[in-house]
Amino acid sequence: MPEVAEAKLHFSLVSPERELFSGEVDQVDAPGSEGAFGVLVGHAPFMTTLREGRIHVRTGQSEHVYEVKGGFADVTPQGLTILAEEVAEVV
């Protein structure tokens, strides 16, 4: 039997200077102002502000980590967009 592709979450991470990440991922964890939250494909829509902390982007066996200082997260049926005031990839 052919494998069925798992549904992925479309995620975009944007700073005032540029887009740092755009693609299909399994999960994103972020530091919301009301507490940390995780988003998977099919998550209910919501919008929140972000506090200083780390964003973890998981795809398969890989993980990207970004340090963020403020911004907004917007979950829609199309995916998750984070507009960060300041952001840098953690290497």
Side-chain angles (χ1 to χ4, degrees):
M1 254 193 184
E3 276 190 40
V4 176
E6 268 189 56
K8 299 282 187 173
L9 171 72
H10 183 77
F11 172 60
S12 295
L13 176 59
V14 182
S15 74
E17 296 82 28
R18 65 189 176 98
E19 184 173 61
L20 284 96
F21 188 98
S22 180
E24 304 300 308
V25 302
D26 294 320
Q27 180 175 346
V28 177
D29 297 315
S33 57
E34 300 294 318
F37 63 91
V39 179
L40 302 167
V41 68
H43 197 289
F46 78 99
M47 180 179 269
T48 187
T49 55
L50 299 176
R51 61 177 167 75
E52 186 173 328
R54 290 190 170 186
I55 296 170
H56 296 265
V57 181
R58 294 179 177 86
T59 303
Q61 298 299 318
S62 68
E63 179 177 25
H64 298 274
V65 181
Y66 299 89
E67 188 73 34
V68 67
K69 294 183 181 176
F72 296 90
D74 186 23
V75 179
T76 68
Q78 289 73 42
L80 167 62
T81 300
I82 291 182
L83 307 171
E85 292 174 15
E86 293 181 40
V87 64
E89 187 165 10
V90 177
V91 185

Coordinates of all heavy atoms in Angstrom, one line a residue:
M1 N 0.8 -1.2 0.0 CA 0.0 0.0 0.0 C 0.9 1.2 0.0 O 1.9 1.3 0.7 CB -0.8 0.0 1.3 CG -2.3 -0.3 1.0 SD -3.3 0.1 2.4 CE -4.8 -0.6 1.7
P2 N 0.5 2.3 -0.8 CA 1.3 3.5 -0.8 C 1.1 4.2 0.6 O 0.1 4.2 1.2 CB 0.7 4.3 -1.9 CG -0.7 3.7 -2.2 CD -0.6 2.3 -1.7
E3 N 2.2 4.9 1.0 CA 2.2 5.7 2.2 C 1.3 7.0 2.0 O 1.4 7.6 0.9 CB 3.6 6.1 2.6 CG 4.3 5.1 3.4 CD 5.6 5.6 4.0 OE1 5.6 6.8 4.5 OE2 6.6 4.9 4.0
V4 N 0.6 7.3 3.0 CA -0.2 8.6 2.9 C 0.6 9.7 3.6 O 1.1 9.5 4.7 CB -1.6 8.4 3.6 CG1 -2.3 9.7 3.7 CG2 -2.4 7.3 3.0
A5 N 0.8 10.8 2.9 CA 1.6 11.9 3.4 C 0.9 12.5 4.6 O -0.4 12.7 4.5 CB 1.9 12.9 2.3
E6 N 1.6 12.7 5.7 CA 1.0 13.4 6.8 C 0.8 14.9 6.5 O 1.6 15.5 5.8 CB 2.0 13.3 8.0 CG 1.7 12.1 8.9 CD 2.5 12.2 10.2 OE1 2.4 13.2 10.9 OE2 3.3 11.3 10.4
A7 N -0.3 15.4 7.0 CA -0.6 16.8 6.8 C 0.4 17.6 7.6 O 0.8 17.2 8.7 CB -2.0 17.1 7.3
K8 N 0.8 18.7 7.0 CA 1.8 19.6 7.6 C 1.2 21.0 7.9 O 0.2 21.4 7.3 CB 3.0 19.8 6.7 CG 3.8 18.5 6.4 CD 4.6 18.1 7.5 CE 5.5 16.9 7.1 NZ 6.4 16.5 8.1
L9 N 1.8 21.7 8.8 CA 1.4 23.1 9.2 C 2.3 24.0 8.4 O 3.5 23.9 8.3 CB 1.7 23.3 10.7 CG 1.5 24.7 11.2 CD1 0.1 25.1 11.2 CD2 2.1 24.8 12.6
H10 N 1.6 25.0 7.7 CA 2.4 26.0 7.0 C 2.8 27.1 8.0 O 2.0 27.6 8.8 CB 1.7 26.7 5.9 CG 2.6 27.7 5.2 ND1 3.5 27.3 4.3 CD2 2.6 29.0 5.3 CE1 4.2 28.4 3.9 NE2 3.7 29.4 4.5
F11 N 4.1 27.3 8.1 CA 4.7 28.3 9.1 C 5.5 29.3 8.5 O 6.4 29.0 7.6 CB 5.5 27.5 10.2 CG 6.2 28.4 11.1 CD1 5.5 29.3 11.9 CD2 7.6 28.4 11.2 CE1 6.2 30.1 12.8 CE2 8.3 29.2 12.1 CZ 7.6 30.1 12.9
S12 N 5.3 30.6 8.8 CA 6.2 31.7 8.4 C 6.6 32.5 9.6 O 5.8 32.8 10.5 CB 5.4 32.7 7.5 OG 5.0 32.0 6.3
L13 N 7.9 32.8 9.6 CA 8.5 33.6 10.7 C 9.1 34.8 10.0 O 10.0 34.7 9.2 CB 9.6 32.8 11.4 CG 10.4 33.6 12.5 CD1 9.5 34.1 13.6 CD2 11.5 32.7 13.1
V14 N 8.6 36.0 10.4 CA 9.0 37.2 9.7 C 9.4 38.3 10.7 O 8.8 38.4 11.8 CB 7.8 37.8 8.9 CG1 8.2 39.0 8.2 CG2 7.2 36.7 8.0
S15 N 10.6 38.9 10.4 CA 11.0 40.0 11.2 C 10.8 41.3 10.4 O 10.5 41.2 9.2 CB 12.5 39.9 11.6 OG 13.3 40.1 10.4
P16 N 11.1 42.5 11.0 CA 10.9 43.7 10.2 C 11.9 43.8 9.0 O 11.6 44.4 8.0 CB 11.3 44.8 11.2 CG 10.9 44.3 12.5 CD 11.2 42.8 12.4
E17 N 13.0 43.0 9.1 CA 14.1 43.1 8.1 C 13.8 42.1 7.0 O 14.1 42.3 5.8 CB 15.5 42.8 8.7 CG 16.0 43.9 9.6 CD 15.4 43.7 11.0 OE1 15.1 42.5 11.4 OE2 15.3 44.7 11.7
R18 N 13.3 40.8 7.4 CA 13.2 39.8 6.3 C 12.4 38.6 6.9 O 12.1 38.5 8.0 CB 14.6 39.3 5.9 CG 15.4 38.6 7.0 CD 16.8 38.3 6.6 NE 17.5 37.8 7.7 CZ 17.8 36.5 7.9 NH1 17.3 35.6 7.0 NH2 18.5 36.0 8.9
E19 N 12.1 37.7 5.9 CA 11.4 36.4 6.3 C 12.6 35.4 6.7 O 13.4 35.2 5.8 CB 10.6 35.9 5.1 CG 9.8 34.6 5.5 CD 8.9 34.2 4.3 OE1 9.4 34.0 3.2 OE2 7.7 34.2 4.6
L20 N 12.5 34.9 7.9 CA 13.5 34.0 8.3 C 13.2 32.5 8.0 O 14.1 31.7 7.9 CB 13.8 34.1 9.8 CG 14.5 35.4 10.2 CD1 13.6 36.5 10.6 CD2 15.5 35.1 11.3
F21 N 11.9 32.2 8.0 CA 11.5 30.8 7.8 C 10.2 30.8 7.1 O 9.3 31.6 7.5 CB 11.4 30.0 9.1 CG 11.2 28.6 8.9 CD1 12.3 27.7 8.9 CD2 9.9 28.1 8.6 CE1 12.0 26.3 8.8 CE2 9.7 26.7 8.5 CZ 10.8 25.8 8.5
S22 N 10.0 29.9 6.1 CA 8.7 29.7 5.5 C 8.7 28.3 5.0 O 9.6 27.9 4.2 CB 8.5 30.7 4.3 OG 7.2 30.4 3.8
G23 N 7.7 27.5 5.4 CA 7.7 26.1 5.0 C 6.7 25.3 5.7 O 6.0 25.8 6.6
E24 N 6.6 24.0 5.3 CA 5.7 23.1 5.9 C 6.4 22.4 7.1 O 7.5 21.8 6.9 CB 5.3 22.0 4.9 CG 4.6 22.6 3.7 CD 3.4 23.5 4.0 OE1 2.5 22.9 4.6 OE2 3.3 24.6 3.5
V25 N 5.8 22.4 8.3 CA 6.4 21.8 9.5 C 5.4 20.9 10.2 O 4.3 20.9 9.9 CB 6.9 22.9 10.4 CG1 7.9 23.9 9.7 CG2 5.8 23.8 11.0
D26 N 6.0 20.2 11.2 CA 5.1 19.3 12.0 C 4.5 20.1 13.2 O 3.4 19.9 13.6 CB 5.9 18.1 12.5 CG 6.3 17.2 11.4 OD1 5.5 17.0 10.5 OD2 7.5 16.7 11.4
Q27 N 5.3 20.9 13.9 CA 4.9 21.6 15.1 C 5.7 22.8 15.3 O 6.9 22.8 15.0 CB 5.0 20.6 16.3 CG 4.6 21.2 17.6 CD 4.7 20.2 18.7 OE1 4.8 19.0 18.5 NE2 4.6 20.7 20.0
V28 N 5.1 23.8 15.9 CA 5.8 25.0 16.4 C 5.4 25.3 17.8 O 4.2 25.3 18.1 CB 5.5 26.3 15.5 CG1 6.2 27.5 16.0 CG2 5.8 26.0 14.0
D29 N 6.4 25.5 18.7 CA 6.2 25.9 20.1 C 6.7 27.3 20.2 O 7.8 27.6 19.8 CB 6.9 25.0 21.0 CG 6.4 23.5 20.9 OD1 5.2 23.4 20.9 OD2 7.2 22.6 20.9
A30 N 5.9 28.2 20.9 CA 6.3 29.6 21.0 C 5.9 30.1 22.4 O 5.1 29.6 23.0 CB 5.6 30.4 19.9
P31 N 6.6 31.2 22.8 CA 6.4 31.8 24.1 C 5.3 32.9 24.0 O 5.6 34.1 23.8 CB 7.8 32.5 24.4 CG 8.3 32.9 23.1 CD 7.8 31.8 22.1
G32 N 4.1 32.5 24.2 CA 3.0 33.5 24.2 C 3.0 34.4 25.5 O 3.5 33.9 26.5
S33 N 2.4 35.5 25.4 CA 2.4 36.4 26.6 C 1.6 35.8 27.7 O 1.8 36.2 28.9 CB 1.8 37.8 26.2 OG 0.6 37.7 25.6
E34 N 0.6 34.9 27.4 CA -0.2 34.3 28.4 C 0.3 32.9 28.8 O -0.3 32.2 29.6 CB -1.6 34.2 28.0 CG -2.3 35.5 27.7 CD -2.5 36.4 28.9 OE1 -2.9 35.8 29.9 OE2 -2.2 37.6 28.8
G35 N 1.5 32.5 28.2 CA 2.1 31.2 28.5 C 2.5 30.6 27.1 O 2.0 31.0 26.1
A36 N 3.4 29.6 27.2 CA 3.9 28.9 26.0 C 2.8 28.2 25.4 O 1.8 27.7 26.1 CB 5.0 28.0 26.4
F37 N 2.8 28.0 24.1 CA 1.8 27.3 23.3 C 2.5 26.5 22.2 O 3.5 26.9 21.7 CB 0.7 28.2 22.8 CG 1.2 29.2 21.8 CD1 1.2 29.0 20.5 CD2 1.6 30.5 22.3 CE1 1.6 29.9 19.5 CE2 2.1 31.4 21.3 CZ 2.0 31.1 20.0
G38 N 1.8 25.4 21.8 CA 2.2 24.7 20.6 C 1.1 24.6 19.6 O 0.0 24.7 19.9
V39 N 1.6 24.6 18.3 CA 0.6 24.6 17.2 C 0.9 23.4 16.3 O 2.1 23.3 15.8 CB 0.7 25.9 16.4 CG1 -0.3 25.9 15.2 CG2 0.4 27.1 17.3
L40 N -0.1 22.7 16.0 CA 0.0 21.6 15.0 C -1.0 21.9 13.9 O -1.9 22.8 14.0 CB -0.4 20.2 15.6 CG 0.4 19.8 16.9 CD1 -0.4 18.7 17.6 CD2 1.7 19.3 16.4
V41 N -0.9 21.1 12.8 CA -1.9 21.3 11.7 C -3.3 21.2 12.2 O -3.5 20.3 13.1 CB -1.6 20.4 10.5 CG1 -1.9 18.9 10.9 CG2 -2.4 20.8 9.3
G42 N -4.2 22.0 11.8 CA -5.6 21.9 12.2 C -5.9 22.6 13.5 O -7.0 22.5 14.0
H43 N -5.0 23.4 14.0 CA -5.2 24.1 15.3 C -6.3 25.1 15.1 O -6.5 25.7 14.1 CB -3.9 24.8 15.7 CG -3.9 25.2 17.2 ND1 -4.7 26.3 17.6 CD2 -3.2 24.8 18.2 CE1 -4.4 26.4 18.9 NE2 -3.5 25.5 19.3
A44 N -7.0 25.4 16.2 CA -8.1 26.4 16.1 C -7.5 27.8 16.0 O -6.4 28.0 16.5 CB -8.9 26.4 17.4
P45 N -8.1 28.6 15.2 CA -7.6 30.0 15.0 C -7.5 30.8 16.3 O -8.4 30.7 17.1 CB -8.6 30.6 14.0 CG -9.2 29.5 13.4 CD -9.3 28.4 14.4
F46 N -6.4 31.5 16.4 CA -6.3 32.5 17.5 C -5.1 33.4 17.2 O -4.3 33.2 16.3 CB -6.1 31.8 18.9 CG -4.7 31.3 19.1 CD1 -3.8 32.0 19.9 CD2 -4.3 30.1 18.6 CE1 -2.5 31.5 20.1 CE2 -3.0 29.6 18.9 CZ -2.1 30.3 19.6
M47 N -5.0 34.5 18.0 CA -4.0 35.5 17.8 C -3.5 35.9 19.2 O -4.3 36.0 20.1 CB -4.4 36.7 17.1 CG -3.3 37.8 16.9 SD -3.9 39.2 16.0 CE -3.5 38.7 14.4
T48 N -2.2 36.0 19.4 CA -1.6 36.4 20.7 C -0.3 37.2 20.5 O 0.3 37.1 19.5 CB -1.4 35.1 21.6 OG1 -1.0 35.5 22.9 CG2 -0.2 34.3 21.0
T49 N 0.0 37.9 21.6 CA 1.3 38.6 21.6 C 2.3 37.6 22.1 O 2.0 36.6 22.8 CB 1.3 39.9 22.4 OG1 0.8 39.5 23.7 CG2 0.4 40.9 21.8
L50 N 3.6 37.9 21.8 CA 4.7 37.0 22.3 C 5.5 37.8 23.3 O 5.7 39.0 23.3 CB 5.6 36.7 21.1 CG 5.0 35.9 20.0 CD1 6.0 35.7 18.8 CD2 4.4 34.5 20.4
R51 N 6.1 37.0 24.2 CA 7.0 37.5 25.2 C 8.4 37.0 24.7 O 8.6 36.3 23.8 CB 6.7 37.0 26.6 CG 6.8 35.5 26.8 CD 6.5 35.1 28.2 NE 6.3 33.7 28.3 CZ 7.2 32.7 28.2 NH1 8.5 33.0 28.0 NH2 6.9 31.4 28.2
E52 N 9.5 37.5 25.4 CA 10.8 37.1 25.1 C 11.0 35.6 25.3 O 10.5 35.1 26.4 CB 11.8 37.9 25.9 CG 13.2 37.6 25.5 CD 14.2 38.6 26.2 OE1 13.8 39.7 26.5 OE2 15.3 38.1 26.5
G53 N 11.6 34.9 24.4 CA 11.8 33.4 24.6 C 12.2 32.8 23.3 O 12.7 33.4 22.4
R54 N 12.1 31.5 23.3 CA 12.5 30.7 22.1 C 11.3 30.1 21.4 O 10.4 29.6 22.0 CB 13.5 29.6 22.5 CG 14.8 30.2 23.0 CD 15.8 29.1 23.1 NE 17.1 29.8 23.3 CZ 18.2 29.1 23.4 NH1 18.3 27.8 23.3 NH2 19.4 29.8 23.5
I55 N 11.4 30.1 20.1 CA 10.5 29.4 19.2 C 11.2 28.1 18.7 O 12.3 28.2 18.2 CB 10.1 30.3 18.0 CG1 9.4 31.6 18.4 CG2 9.3 29.5 16.9 CD1 9.2 32.6 17.3
H56 N 10.5 27.0 18.8 CA 11.0 25.7 18.4 C 10.2 25.2 17.2 O 8.9 25.1 17.3 CB 10.9 24.7 19.5 CG 11.8 25.0 20.7 ND1 13.1 24.5 20.8 CD2 11.6 25.8 21.7 CE1 13.6 25.0 21.9 NE2 12.7 25.8 22.5
V57 N 10.8 25.0 16.1 CA 10.2 24.6 14.9 C 10.6 23.2 14.6 O 11.8 22.9 14.3 CB 10.5 25.5 13.7 CG1 9.8 25.1 12.4 CG2 10.2 27.0 14.0
R58 N 9.7 22.2 14.6 CA 10.0 20.8 14.4 C 9.5 20.3 13.1 O 8.3 20.5 12.8 CB 9.4 20.0 15.5 CG 10.1 20.3 16.9 CD 9.5 19.5 18.0 NE 10.1 19.8 19.3 CZ 9.8 20.8 20.1 NH1 8.9 21.6 19.8 NH2 10.5 21.0 21.2
T59 N 10.4 19.6 12.3 CA 10.0 19.0 11.1 C 10.7 17.6 11.0 O 12.0 17.6 11.0 CB 10.4 19.8 9.9 OG1 9.8 21.1 10.0 CG2 9.9 19.2 8.6
G60 N 10.0 16.6 11.1 CA 10.6 15.2 11.0 C 11.6 15.1 12.2 O 11.3 15.4 13.3
Q61 N 12.9 14.8 11.9 CA 13.9 14.7 12.9 C 14.7 16.0 13.2 O 15.5 16.0 14.1 CB 14.9 13.6 12.5 CG 14.3 12.2 12.4 CD 13.6 11.7 13.7 OE1 14.2 11.9 14.7 NE2 12.4 11.1 13.6
S62 N 14.4 17.0 12.4 CA 15.1 18.3 12.6 C 14.4 19.3 13.4 O 13.1 19.2 13.5 CB 15.5 18.9 11.2 OG 14.4 19.3 10.5
E63 N 15.1 20.2 14.0 CA 14.5 21.3 14.8 C 15.3 22.6 14.6 O 16.5 22.6 14.6 CB 14.5 20.9 16.3 CG 13.9 22.0 17.2 CD 13.9 21.6 18.6 OE1 14.7 20.8 19.1 OE2 13.0 22.2 19.3
H64 N 14.6 23.6 14.3 CA 15.2 25.0 14.2 C 14.7 25.7 15.5 O 13.6 25.6 15.9 CB 14.6 25.7 13.0 CG 15.0 25.1 11.7 ND1 16.2 25.3 11.1 CD2 14.3 24.2 10.9 CE1 16.2 24.6 9.9 NE2 15.1 23.9 9.8
V65 N 15.6 26.5 16.1 CA 15.3 27.3 17.2 C 15.7 28.7 17.0 O 16.7 29.0 16.4 CB 16.1 26.7 18.5 CG1 15.8 27.6 19.7 CG2 15.9 25.3 18.7
Y66 N 14.7 29.6 17.4 CA 14.9 31.0 17.2 C 14.7 31.7 18.5 O 13.8 31.4 19.3 CB 13.9 31.6 16.2 CG 14.1 31.0 14.8 CD1 13.4 29.8 14.5 CD2 14.9 31.5 13.9 CE1 13.5 29.2 13.2 CE2 15.0 31.0 12.6 CZ 14.3 29.8 12.3 OH 14.5 29.2 11.1
E67 N 15.5 32.7 18.8 CA 15.3 33.6 20.0 C 14.5 34.8 19.5 O 14.8 35.4 18.5 CB 16.7 34.1 20.5 CG 16.6 34.8 21.8 CD 16.3 33.8 23.0 OE1 16.8 32.7 23.0 OE2 15.6 34.3 24.0
V68 N 13.4 35.1 20.2 CA 12.5 36.1 19.8 C 12.3 37.1 21.0 O 12.3 36.7 22.2 CB 11.1 35.5 19.3 CG1 10.3 34.9 20.5 CG2 10.3 36.6 18.7
K69 N 12.1 38.4 20.6 CA 11.9 39.4 21.6 C 10.6 40.2 21.2 O 10.7 41.1 20.4 CB 13.0 40.4 21.8 CG 14.2 39.7 22.3 CD 15.4 40.6 22.5 CE 16.6 39.9 23.1 NZ 17.8 40.7 23.2
G70 N 9.5 39.7 21.6 CA 8.2 40.4 21.3 C 7.7 40.1 19.9 O 8.4 39.6 19.0
G71 N 6.4 40.4 19.7 CA 5.8 40.2 18.4 C 4.4 39.7 18.5 O 3.8 39.7 19.6
F72 N 3.9 39.1 17.4 CA 2.6 38.5 17.4 C 2.6 37.2 16.7 O 3.4 37.0 15.8 CB 1.6 39.5 16.6 CG 1.4 40.8 17.2 CD1 2.3 41.9 16.9 CD2 0.4 41.0 18.1 CE1 2.1 43.1 17.4 CE2 0.2 42.3 18.7 CZ 1.1 43.3 18.4
A73 N 1.7 36.3 17.1 CA 1.5 35.0 16.5 C 0.0 35.0 16.0 O -0.9 35.3 16.8 CB 1.7 33.9 17.4
D74 N -0.2 34.6 14.8 CA -1.5 34.5 14.2 C -1.8 33.1 13.6 O -1.1 32.7 12.6 CB -1.7 35.6 13.1 CG -3.1 35.7 12.6 OD1 -4.1 35.2 13.3 OD2 -3.2 36.2 11.4
V75 N -2.7 32.3 14.2 CA -3.0 31.0 13.7 C -4.3 31.1 12.9 O -5.3 31.6 13.5 CB -3.2 30.0 14.8 CG1 -3.6 28.6 14.3 CG2 -1.9 29.9 15.7
T76 N -4.3 30.7 11.7 CA -5.5 30.7 10.8 C -5.6 29.3 10.2 O -4.7 28.5 10.3 CB -5.3 31.8 9.7 OG1 -4.3 31.3 8.8 CG2 -4.9 33.2 10.2
P77 N -6.7 29.1 9.5 CA -6.8 27.8 8.8 C -5.7 27.6 7.8 O -5.4 26.4 7.4 CB -8.2 27.9 8.1 CG -9.0 28.8 8.9 CD -8.0 29.9 9.4
Q78 N -5.0 28.6 7.3 CA -3.9 28.5 6.4 C -2.6 28.2 7.0 O -1.7 27.8 6.4 CB -3.8 29.8 5.5 CG -4.9 30.0 4.5 CD -6.2 30.4 5.2 OE1 -6.2 31.2 6.1 NE2 -7.3 29.9 4.7
G79 N -2.5 28.4 8.4 CA -1.3 28.1 9.1 C -0.9 29.1 10.2 O -1.8 29.8 10.7
L80 N 0.3 29.1 10.5 CA 0.8 30.0 11.6 C 1.8 31.0 11.0 O 2.7 30.6 10.3 CB 1.5 29.2 12.7 CG 2.3 29.9 13.7 CD1 1.5 30.9 14.6 CD2 3.1 28.9 14.6
T81 N 1.6 32.3 11.4 CA 2.5 33.3 11.0 C 2.9 34.0 12.3 O 2.1 34.4 13.1 CB 1.8 34.4 10.1 OG1 1.4 33.7 8.9 CG2 2.8 35.5 9.7
I82 N 4.2 34.2 12.5 CA 4.8 34.9 13.6 C 5.5 36.2 13.0 O 6.4 36.0 12.2 CB 5.7 34.1 14.4 CG1 5.0 33.0 15.2 CG2 6.5 35.0 15.4 CD1 5.8 32.1 16.1
L83 N 5.0 37.3 13.5 CA 5.7 38.6 13.2 C 6.4 39.0 14.4 O 5.8 39.4 15.4 CB 4.6 39.6 12.8 CG 3.6 39.2 11.7 CD1 2.5 40.2 11.6 CD2 4.3 39.1 10.4
A84 N 7.7 38.9 14.3 CA 8.6 39.1 15.5 C 9.2 40.5 15.5 O 9.6 41.0 14.4 CB 9.7 38.1 15.6
E85 N 9.2 41.2 16.6 CA 9.9 42.5 16.7 C 11.4 42.3 16.5 O 12.0 43.1 15.8 CB 9.6 43.2 18.0 CG 8.2 43.6 18.2 CD 7.8 44.1 19.6 OE1 8.7 44.4 20.3 OE2 6.6 44.2 19.8
E86 N 12.0 41.4 17.2 CA 13.4 41.0 17.0 C 13.5 39.5 17.1 O 12.9 38.8 17.9 CB 14.3 41.6 18.2 CG 14.4 43.1 18.2 CD 15.2 43.5 19.4 OE1 16.3 42.9 19.7 OE2 14.8 44.5 20.0
V87 N 14.3 38.9 16.2 CA 14.5 37.5 16.1 C 15.9 37.1 15.6 O 16.4 37.8 14.7 CB 13.3 36.8 15.3 CG1 13.4 37.2 13.9 CG2 13.4 35.3 15.4
A88 N 16.4 36.0 16.1 CA 17.7 35.5 15.7 C 17.7 34.0 15.8 O 17.2 33.5 16.8 CB 18.9 36.1 16.5
E89 N 18.3 33.3 14.8 CA 18.4 31.9 14.9 C 19.4 31.5 15.9 O 20.5 32.1 16.0 CB 18.7 31.3 13.5 CG 18.6 29.8 13.5 CD 18.6 29.2 12.1 OE1 18.8 29.9 11.1 OE2 18.3 27.9 12.1
V90 N 19.1 30.5 16.7 CA 20.0 30.0 17.7 C 20.8 28.8 17.0 O 20.2 27.9 16.5 CB 19.3 29.4 18.9 CG1 20.2 28.8 19.9 CG2 18.5 30.6 19.6
V91 N 22.1 28.9 17.0 CA 22.9 27.9 16.3 C 23.5 26.9 17.3 O 23.8 27.2 18.4 CB 24.0 28.6 15.5 CG1 24.8 27.6 14.7 CG2 23.5 29.7 14.6

